[in-house]
Amino acid sequence: MNHLYFSGKLLFILVVALAMNMPAGAQIKYVSQDERRDAGMGVERVARFFTPAYDSKTAQGDDETRWVQIDLGERKKIDGIKLLPRMSPWGYVQSQGFPVHFKIEVSDDPEFTESIMYENQLREDFRDPKDEIITFDGKMVYGRYVRLTATRLRQRKLSFSKIMVL
């Protein structure tokens, strides 16, 4: 019996081969507005299985607080944030470590003594997104640091395959 095994390198080769079959002079137009839409089975979803995921230290229980902070290197305009849940490459039953209660803040201070609340999901349980990419947009703020703080965890961890700041 023959089995096919697709590694990350083989997927890359297939993508390059498909791109090389484009007609000469073909142009792909980048439209930044499209980034804010949720992807179907696009590159964001496929790439998650080939990039390292973020996993916090395992907590004693789901009521412990965990956070992750992103330094953008300089003050930037932020008008969207995408959370890509960590998934097992087999069986999309539930996400792994996507928080139940969380907030996303933006600041120019790495200690977050002053910050802007970008998204507040602290009061009600946020559903398990499973394989859905969660997009928060419609707010335009400026800052250098983005921090996601989870006050209620799932599976005693905070995990993402990627956090995208647009």
Side-chain angles (χ1 to χ4, degrees):
M1 184 182 302
N2 291 333
H3 295 280
L4 290 176
Y5 175 73
F6 290 98
S7 69
K9 290 178 184 175
L10 181 58
L11 179 63
F12 177 76
I13 291 168
L14 288 171
V15 170
V16 170
L18 289 172
M20 292 175 71
N21 287 329
M22 292 178 64
Q27 180 175 324
I28 297 172
K29 183 176 180 183
Y30 170 76
V31 181
S32 63
Q33 190 71 16
D34 290 344
E35 283 187 352
R36 286 190 222 106
R37 292 183 310 170
D38 291 339
M41 282 305 291
V43 69
E44 291 174 331
R45 284 203 165 123
V46 174
R48 291 183 296 169
F49 299 122
F50 301 99
T51 58
Y54 168 78
D55 277 323
S56 70
K57 288 176 78 176
T58 303
Q60 295 293 319
D62 283 337
D63 289 328
E64 289 186 32
T65 298
R66 294 286 188 266
W67 58 269
V68 60
Q69 182 170 308
I70 301 164
D71 181 350
L72 301 174
E74 63 185 16
R75 182 178 170 88
K76 295 191 182 257
K77 179 177 89 167
I78 299 166
D79 58 4
I81 297 173
K82 286 186 177 189
L83 305 177
L84 284 72
R86 180 163 186 212
M87 297 295 302
S88 170
W90 49 86
Y92 301 106
V93 177
Q94 64 184 18
S95 66
Q96 298 176 358
F98 196 93
V100 177
H101 293 169
F102 62 94
K103 64 182 176 178
I104 302 172
E105 297 170 284
V106 176
S107 180
D108 287 320
D109 173 22
E111 301 300 319
F112 279 73
T113 52
E114 291 185 28
S115 64
I116 298 167
M117 181 71 71
Y118 192 85
E119 186 64 35
N120 186 345
Q121 296 290 328
L122 294 173
R123 295 182 188 189
E124 294 182 24
D125 289 0
F126 195 87
R127 64 182 169 72
D128 181 354
K130 300 181 182 170
D131 191 32
E132 179 184 347
I133 296 168
I134 303 300
T135 303
F136 299 108
D137 63 1
K139 300 171 190 153
M140 186 175 64
V141 300
Y142 290 84
R144 175 174 175 167
Y145 302 94
V146 176
R147 181 185 286 182
L148 184 144
T149 304
T151 58
R152 180 147 180 84
L153 308 171
R154 274 193 182 91
Q155 299 105 9
R156 301 178 323 165
K157 277 191 172 184
L158 177 61
S159 297
F160 295 99
S161 63
K162 187 184 283 188
I163 297 175
M164 297 174 68
V165 179
L166 309 172

